[in-house]
């Protein structure tokens, strides 16, 4: 069974801090990884994608990928209360047709 | 609008009735996906379309579920003889390259 695992949280961080969200996956053949943000009652929104080992930065977000350890992470710098949401990690386990397998999500709470 | 649209946004039905859920993908996106999300659960893959063909329908839970896509655009997910365990949010997504872009979903409640 191909899986994507995340800690369900909640992860509570103070405003202005760095939030670190982690994800592991079971299939070494996975090539593409994604982070989605889902506000309560809303649909998932794509915020980051990463395909190569290392870091990828976009504004306050940094995605990190380590294929040897089968580990993906998302760092959110200068966390804001508006970042409070569930963050879903997803891996393309289909070999290229975007059949994404999602983790159960980590709930992030940023408190003032 | 430029995004994926779905209708209806909410559907309440009685057990045993059939329902149809509609998805209109982003223009130019050839790939279309259906997922569902039950209360407090993760996203569960249902079916993938490339054009009008469905090369991967491995996630459909039973033969009560079917889907079609016409003209390489609009897709309809049909659930026959609905059961209470079918209650969930049904999400449609489309893609042109990598990553999925989701619609707002249809919340299905089976009484």
């Amino acid at each position: 069974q191909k899986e994507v695992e995340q800690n369900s949280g909640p992860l509570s961080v103070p405003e202005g801090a760095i939030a670190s969200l982690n994800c592991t996956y079971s299939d070494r053949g996975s090539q593409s990884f994604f982070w989605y943000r889902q506000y309560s009652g809303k649909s998932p929104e794509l915020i980051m994608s990463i395909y190569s080992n290392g870091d990828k930065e976009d504004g306050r977000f940094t995605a990190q990928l380590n294929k040897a350890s089968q580990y993906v992470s998302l760092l959110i710098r200068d966390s804001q209360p508006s970042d409070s949401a569930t963050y879903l990690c997803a891996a393309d386990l289909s070999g290229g047709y975007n059949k994404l397998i999602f983790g159960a999500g980590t709930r992030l709470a940023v408190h003032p | 609008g430029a995004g994926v649209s779905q209708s209806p946004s909410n559907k309440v039905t009685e057990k045993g009735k059939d329902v149809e859920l509609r998805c209109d993908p982003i223009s130019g996106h050839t790939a279309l996906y259906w997922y569902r999300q039950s209360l407090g659960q993760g996203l569960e893959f249902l079916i993938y379309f490339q054009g009008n063909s469905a090369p991967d329908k491995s996630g459909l839970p039973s033969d009560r579920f079917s889907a079609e896509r016409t003209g390489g655009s609009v897709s309809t997910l049909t659930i026959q003889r609905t059961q209470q365990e079918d209650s969930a949010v049904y999400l449609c997504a489309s893609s042109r390259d990598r990553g999925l872009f989701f619609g707002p979903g249809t919340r299905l409640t089976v009484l």
Side-chain angles (χ1 to χ4, degrees):
Chain A
Q1 179 80 359
K2 297 178 179 179
E3 294 182 339
V4 176
E5 301 284 348
Q6 293 181 258
N7 188 318
S8 63
L11 173 65
S12 183
V13 301
E15 184 174 357
I18 296 175
S20 177
L21 304 159
N22 305 313
C23 168
T24 59
Y25 59 95
S26 62
D27 184 7
R28 286 192 172 277
S30 302
Q31 296 296 320
S32 303
F33 304 88
F34 305 87
W35 284 98
Y36 284 79
R37 177 175 62 200
Q38 186 173 27
Y39 292 114
S40 181
K42 301 294 186 183
S43 60
E45 172 193 8
L46 179 63
I47 55 172
M48 289 288 287
S49 59
I50 188 165
Y51 314 122
S52 305
N53 278 330
D55 296 0
K56 179 181 178 183
E57 186 174 320
D58 184 0
R60 295 187 296 113
F61 299 100
T62 299
Q64 299 174 317
L65 174 59
N66 183 326
K67 291 186 178 181
S69 300
Q70 296 175 239
Y71 181 89
V72 191
S73 65
L74 178 70
L75 301 178
I76 306 175
R77 288 181 299 282
D78 189 23
S79 296
Q80 301 297 310
S82 59
D83 294 326
S84 298
T86 296
Y87 288 80
L88 305 172
C89 174
D92 181 355
L93 306 183
S94 66
Y97 65 86
N98 270 323
K99 177 182 177 179
L100 300 190
I101 303 301
F102 285 82
T106 298
R107 189 158 60 89
L108 173 66
V110 181
H111 54 86
Chain B
V4 177
S5 59
Q6 292 187 245
S7 61
S9 55
N10 277 284
K11 177 72 176 179
V12 179
T13 190
E14 294 180 348
K15 178 181 172 181
K17 300 285 189 182
D18 298 351
V19 296
E20 283 191 354
L21 312 180
R22 176 189 167 103
C23 171
D24 201 341
I26 294 171
S27 178
H29 283 196
T30 57
L32 185 148
Y33 310 77
W34 285 96
Y35 283 77
R36 74 176 177 181
Q37 188 172 34
S38 302
L39 188 63
Q41 301 297 311
L43 277 78
E44 176 188 6
F45 169 82
L46 298 179
I47 188 169
Y48 153 65
F49 286 93
Q50 180 60 250
N52 292 335
S53 301
D56 189 343
K57 52 180 76 172
S58 62
L60 294 178
S62 74
D63 59 7
R64 297 186 296 104
F65 288 72
S66 62
E68 65 175 12
R69 189 179 185 194
T70 55
S73 180
V74 172
S75 175
T76 301
L77 177 68
T78 301
I79 309 173
Q80 296 179 309
R81 304 181 302 283
T82 52
Q83 304 294 311
Q84 288 183 330
E85 61 263 29
D86 299 334
S87 295
V89 176
Y90 288 81
L91 292 159
C92 176
S94 69
S95 177
R96 186 179 65 185
D97 184 14
R98 292 183 180 182
L100 305 184
F101 296 88
F102 285 91
T106 293
R107 181 176 298 277
L108 175 66
T109 303
V110 182
L111 301 177

